[in-house]
């Protein structure tokens, strides 16, 4: 319970009622109204007197009256608190006490655009085995991170307390630019980079900056639900474009809606199918964007992890026309609670993005940006990625092996050896939604593939994350999953 | 420069070109393309060999060739780096090198909704004397804060690295609920509180949750520009409602647009005029909301600081119908770079707000939430507020006195003794916009009052922040401001 907060008490010196009575009554009302709660500490008489601009006598007088009436009590070591013996919830409620609102008093209309946000299904925030988007947090070098945090804290300057640059801290942006040019073949300068709180914020800002309500955007079918919804709530028309084993079928997008204002793609590791976009498709997509005057949003969310074949550069790096907005995140390569990601913006759009950023949340918090910059600069970041790539590679192999051994040819893994999740096709008559629901009850957080589709022509399958699934537990978990299949057949 | 990042190099074992030549060529291309920059560290031969899955020999071979050709150089203590003697910007550019984009290649249409975001005028981000929204960061107990950060860092649990609750950390929400009930007479439970990154994000989320494009919202005339723009970019129709010395003129709002879906107000300390909304207007406003089925957004951005008269509770606390969405921030009472604020949401809207929050940025970062919770719980927060209230009270007095002494009756301070800024009326023939522009060149960051109006019927005046204006400098700064007046008269 927070201490030392002075209650809102109004004193009227011209009133005939003596000051100590006014104070006493104000406390009684606040306690009965449940603005002050049982066990809550009340300020010392000295503090209250100084706040009210009165002498301590009326305050001491009021406090002893409240003590006598049993509204407050002395607690050794904890000062004076609101009595714990008062009937908590049962206290005589005033008509307007919180919770007593009569919600039937009249229309309470919310927005239609927020109505399309379907309630988040339980498994989305689940942390059971195979939860998608979870990383091996127990392998993060938390001791090194702590040391950097402590060092920065000791060095913390007063200047760092003011609003920072809406684009983010320049030293972090420099580090990211070097990293992206070197490891992802992204063509960029630090000036083009904006720090955001996550890929999701990058989608939200891009939707505002590039698209108006009614504008069309190509999305992958199947695709990433939360990205899609960011554009839907911004009023955009979603044009689902099917994905095959070379990624988004560009020709299909062109025949559906050539004039779309943007396309949202995951070329390195398609979500959820896991395929990598082929070179031919990449060039087709860039060519379409150039000729139709459209934008491409490249969501490169977990491309750092690739276990087989050659590394593949970003789509942005192939673009000679600055049509690609590149989005990356530290949620997968550091940790999600950090809430740091970035957008690489074409030079002519930087000012516009900056304006939208100010409009939606002014600027990112500064402290962890400098910690992260040091983490990158001192080599911890690339060491961590290398280590995690090996770890996730082993976890993926364990999962693929276990699926093959437990299910045989019944379940087929789609996609390539990259990222932190994989998808399996589900044979008839299984329903992925039912399976996912049942799995959740057995602490298995698998996602139903069909929910990644917008259209009706969906495939049945399961999406399994292996980021937080240690190898030695995988086999047992997959066996548990299989047991759910059996009972589904009846 | 970040170290240890492995460049994106593709090796083809089946090619006739030997491995060391492939590696050497890849580096050369990356350097000429400026993906690798002068002075940038390159990974050790051991790391690169392991990443490429080759022996160290071809790597060592390639490195010695690159050394011989002068593309890389050994730096004692810094490992091997890309040569610093290469002509930096002058390096032979590939046609597709960054910055060479031909922006005239075709249409590059951005959104109209982001076009209404006027370029941010220089003074908005200025930190000169009288900058609005700046706090006395040098009086923040940074040593106590550091100690809490260090303590939390030492205790940091692996669980804290995962995504947190989209509503924010429960312990902080509990602290805020207690604080608001006690000090602001807000009727709330922790479950209704959502942690956001600033008031601005609270506006953005509220716009999405409550209003659709075309819906009307009452805004104060004059009012806070960034709040207004958040609703404008969300497609809402702004209905400016004039403010007098009792706050928003509710009857005027009703006659302009009774059916508005929401009203955005600053009852404790109107921005920018500084008036406090009278009890009569508060009740009128609540009555309007109840009968027309509308929402009220109460922006209580700096109500903690009140220097004269009785403290005044929140509008939300008077509301018996849960029509008020209450918004508060830690930017003014802790520090802006923290990026933490909160919304108190009517119970029936909580799930909807939660959905919108996930849609725009999933969840707030967790670390500083727990630090702040301790800061509040241990009494530092209320102590800091008390101390700052005295400090800002003195600063306001110094400013009011200096204005009166330097300008006499020419400049009149409007509004009440509260908050961290004040407004002055400007007599003819002065133009506030011109004065503000000229002042900026003399390190004085005053805001032109006329820019706070949407309509044409604007008043000329200046808005002066005193949060970061120490008393002993005030007189000199006001004199400097007066000198700009004189030269304007000619």
């Amino acid at each position: 319970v927070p201490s030392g907060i002075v209650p809102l008490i109004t004193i009227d010196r011209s009133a005939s009622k003596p000051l100590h009575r006014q104070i006493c009554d104000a406390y009684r009302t606040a306690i009965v109204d449940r603005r002050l709660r049982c066990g809550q500490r009340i300020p010392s008489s000295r503090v209250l007197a100084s706040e009210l601009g009165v002498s301590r006598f009326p305050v001491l007088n009021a406090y002893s009256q409240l003590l006598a009436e049993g509204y407050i009590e002395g607690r050794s070591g904890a000062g004076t608190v609101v009595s714990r013996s008062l009937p908590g919830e049962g206290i005589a409620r005033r008509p307007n006490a919180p919770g007593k609102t009569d919600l039937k008093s009249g229309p309470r209309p919310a927005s239609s655009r927020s109505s399309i946000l379907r309630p988040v299904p339980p498994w989305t925030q689940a942390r059971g085995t195979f939860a998608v988007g979870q990383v091996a947090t127990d392998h993060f070098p938390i001791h090194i991170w702590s040391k950097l945090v402590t060092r920065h804290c000791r060095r913390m300057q007063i200047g760092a307390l003011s609003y920072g640059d809406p684009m983010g801290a320049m030293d972090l942006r420099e580090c990211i630019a070097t990293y992206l040019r070197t490891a992802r073949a992204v063509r960029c300068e630090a000036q083009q980079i904006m720090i955001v709180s996550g890929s999701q914020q990058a989608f939200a800002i891009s939707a505002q900056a590039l698209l108006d309500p009614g504008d069309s955007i190509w999305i992958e079918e199947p695709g990433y639900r939360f990205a899609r919804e960011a554009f839907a709530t911004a009023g955009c028309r979603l044009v689902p474009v099917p994905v095959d084993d070379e990624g988004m079928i560009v020709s299909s997008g062109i025949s559906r809606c050539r004039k779309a204002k943007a396309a949202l793609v995951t070329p390195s590791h398609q979500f959820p199918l896991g395929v990598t976009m082929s070179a031919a498709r990449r060039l087709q997509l860039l060519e379409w964007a150039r000729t139709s005057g459209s934008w491409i949003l490249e969501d490169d969310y977990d491309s750092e992890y690739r276990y087989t074949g050659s590394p593949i550069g970003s789509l942005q790096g192939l673009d000679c026309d600055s049509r690609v907005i590149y989005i990356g995140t530290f949620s997968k390569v550091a940790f999600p609670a950090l809430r740091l990601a970035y957008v690489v913006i074409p030079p002519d759009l930087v000012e516009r993005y900056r304006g939208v950023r100010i409009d939606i949340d002014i600027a990112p918090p500064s402290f962890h940006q400098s910690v992260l910059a040091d983490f990158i600069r001192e080599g911890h970041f690339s060491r961590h990625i290398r280590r995690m790539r090996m770890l996730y590679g082993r976890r993926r192999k364990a999962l693929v092996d276990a699926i093959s051994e437990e299910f045989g040819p019944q379940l087929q893994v789609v996609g390539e050896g990259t990222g932190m999740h994989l998808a399996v096709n589900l044979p008839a008559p299984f329903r992925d939604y039912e399976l996912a629901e049942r799995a959740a009850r057995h602490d298995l957080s698998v996602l139903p593939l069909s929910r990644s589709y917008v259209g009706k022509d969906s495939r049945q399958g399961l999406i399994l994350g292996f980021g937080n699934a240690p190898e030695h537990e995988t086999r047992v978990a997959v066996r548990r999953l299989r047991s759910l299949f059996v009972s589904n057949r009846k």
Side-chain angles (χ1 to χ4, degrees), chain A residues 302-339:
Chain A
D302 69 359
S303 61
E304 289 83 359
Y305 302 131
R306 194 168 179 89
Y307 319 112
T308 50
S310 303
I312 287 179
S314 63
L315 175 66
Q316 197 264 13
L318 293 176
D319 173 22
C320 310
D321 199 35
S322 283
R323 295 266 166 204
V324 177
I325 292 98
Y326 177 92
I327 298 166
T329 178
F330 290 102
S331 291
K332 310 292 180 270
V333 286
F335 55 92
L338 187 58
R339 308 311 299 127

Side-chain angles (χ1 to χ4, degrees), chain A residues 3 29 49 62 65 75 117 141 165-166 229 242 252 305 314 343 373 379 384 455 475 477-478:
Chain A
S3 72
T29 309
Q65 179 68 25
R75 299 271 299 178
L117 297 168
D165 188 329
E229 286 185 354
S252 166
Y305 302 131
S314 63
V343 196
H384 179 59
R475 188 66 182 268
V478 170

Side-chain angles (χ1 to χ4, degrees), chain A residues 161-296:
Chain A
L161 303 182
S162 295
Y163 288 104
D165 188 329
M167 297 289 288
M170 194 37 101
D171 65 336
L172 177 59
R173 290 156 69 199
E174 297 274 11
C175 288
I176 293 172
T178 304
Y179 166 68
L180 292 178
R181 285 191 300 250
T182 308
R184 303 292 308 129
V186 170
R187 299 173 191 274
C188 66
E189 303 298 326
Q191 291 71 25
Q192 291 169 256
I193 294 179
M194 176 188 278
I195 307 297
V196 291
S197 70
S199 305
Q200 194 65 27
Q201 192 177 51
F203 302 140
I205 294 177
S206 299
Q208 293 287 329
L210 303 178
L211 298 143
D212 282 309
D215 283 349
S216 298
I217 179 170
W218 291 0
I219 53 157
E220 293 173 324
E221 176 81 330
Y224 178 53
R225 171 189 163 182
F226 288 109
R228 187 166 78 212
E229 286 185 354
F231 291 92
T233 52
C236 305
R237 194 172 75 87
L238 306 181
V239 180
V241 179
V243 168
D244 65 13
D245 57 4
E246 288 190 63
M248 182 182 260
I249 305 174
V250 178
S251 59
S252 166
I254 292 174
S255 68
R256 272 156 217 247
C257 178
R258 171 186 281 278
K259 281 286 162 208
K261 209 165 173 191
L264 173 64
V265 286
T266 49
S268 300
H269 186 221
Q270 204 274 331
F271 191 92
L273 294 182
V275 300
T276 301
M277 188 181 265
S278 68
R281 291 279 171 81
R282 284 170 194 242
L283 297 174
Q284 275 175 45
L285 187 64
L286 291 169
E287 179 59 15
W288 162 76
R290 204 181 56 72
T291 55
S292 67
S294 308
W295 304 104
I296 297 168

Side-chain angles (χ1 to χ4, degrees), chain A residues 91-208:
Chain A
I91 216 171
R93 283 275 183 87
R94 293 288 180 108
N96 303 344
K100 288 283 275 183
T101 306
D102 180 6
L103 294 183
K104 293 184 201 73
S105 66
R108 302 175 68 82
S111 68
S112 319
R113 62 177 146 200
S114 61
S115 301
I116 63 172
L117 297 168
R118 290 171 297 177
V120 180
W123 54 74
T124 308
Q125 310 252 341
R127 307 222 178 130
T129 311
F130 304 135
V132 172
Q134 297 293 331
V135 303
T137 42
D138 51 334
H139 288 255
F140 184 75
I142 200 168
H143 49 289
I144 293 175
W145 185 262
S146 295
K147 232 190 266 172
L148 294 179
V149 169
T150 308
R151 188 212 289 166
H152 272 270
C153 205
R154 241 184 281 123
R155 278 204 228 135
M156 203 157 145
Q157 297 290 314
I158 282 155
L161 303 182
S162 295
Y163 288 104
D165 188 329
M167 297 289 288
M170 194 37 101
D171 65 336
L172 177 59
R173 290 156 69 199
E174 297 274 11
C175 288
I176 293 172
T178 304
Y179 166 68
L180 292 178
R181 285 191 300 250
T182 308
R184 303 292 308 129
V186 170
R187 299 173 191 274
C188 66
E189 303 298 326
Q191 291 71 25
Q192 291 169 256
I193 294 179
M194 176 188 278
I195 307 297
V196 291
S197 70
S199 305
Q200 194 65 27
Q201 192 177 51
F203 302 140
I205 294 177
S206 299
Q208 293 287 329

